[in-house]
Amino acid sequence: MFERIRRDRRVERLSIRELAERRHVHRRTVRQALASAVPPPRKTYARRPRPAIDAHVEVIDGWLLADRDVPPKQRHTARRVWQRLVAEHGARLAEVTVSRYVARRRVELGVDRVEVAVPQTHPPGAEAEVDFGEFSATIAGTLIKLWMFVMRLSHSGKALQQRALRH
């Protein structure tokens, strides 16, 4: 955006107001772009306190980290985390507060990542993928309908192509 604003100013000699209208930005943004090619860094805000859940963060993180070692069906859902907090720790907080924290924290801890690999083995000569179809080509100014047969061997991945003319 800054580059486009600077180019329009240089090439078309547009005013700040015209640049702002063309790029649908505030005039302040146009002035920033003209002053520097690099946009200013985003403002950082202080971390907001979370009085309801801060006291229980370590317990929740412990449960989520322990869930790495158990089968998927036995892992804590956000609802189950909330139920355990209320029952075992006397927590007084909303379920949605816990579910939002758990969802964000699972991503940060990498708990939600599951790698899956399905090995494929194809014995030599046992399988192949085949396709057959027609296409048109212009040869010496004449449009000709052609047929193509393509076969890919699953074991080696090598392809065989045959083209035939049709009169």
Side-chain angles (χ1 to χ4, degrees), residues 57-165:
V57 165
E58 289 180 21
V59 174
I60 296 171
D61 286 352
W63 290 338
L64 294 177
L65 289 171
D67 279 350
R68 289 179 174 173
D69 303 326
V70 298
K73 290 284 188 177
Q74 295 177 6
R75 294 181 185 161
H76 286 84
T77 62
R79 180 174 182 84
R80 182 65 184 132
V81 169
W82 174 72
Q83 289 171 339
R84 282 190 68 183
L85 283 175
V86 170
E88 298 173 16
H89 298 275
R92 298 190 64 196
L93 58 137
E95 183 180 354
V96 69
T97 304
V98 174
S99 67
R100 286 180 184 151
Y101 177 77
V102 167
R104 185 175 48 80
R105 198 67 179 133
R106 274 190 181 128
V107 172
E108 291 171 358
L109 294 174
V111 175
D112 64 341
R113 235 177 282 131
V114 178
E115 291 188 27
V116 177
V118 179
Q120 295 186 0
T121 56
H122 304 283
E127 296 178 14
E129 298 173 9
V130 176
D131 196 9
F132 184 77
E134 68 179 47
F135 66 98
S136 300
T138 304
I139 299 175
T142 307
L143 185 65
I144 301 172
K145 185 191 293 186
L146 302 166
W147 297 91
M148 181 185 289
F149 172 84
V150 180
M151 180 175 77
R152 187 182 148 283
L153 301 171
S154 298
H155 177 73
S156 65
K158 303 239 176 180
L160 167 75
Q161 295 182 359
Q162 291 292 323
R163 293 176 198 94
L165 294 175

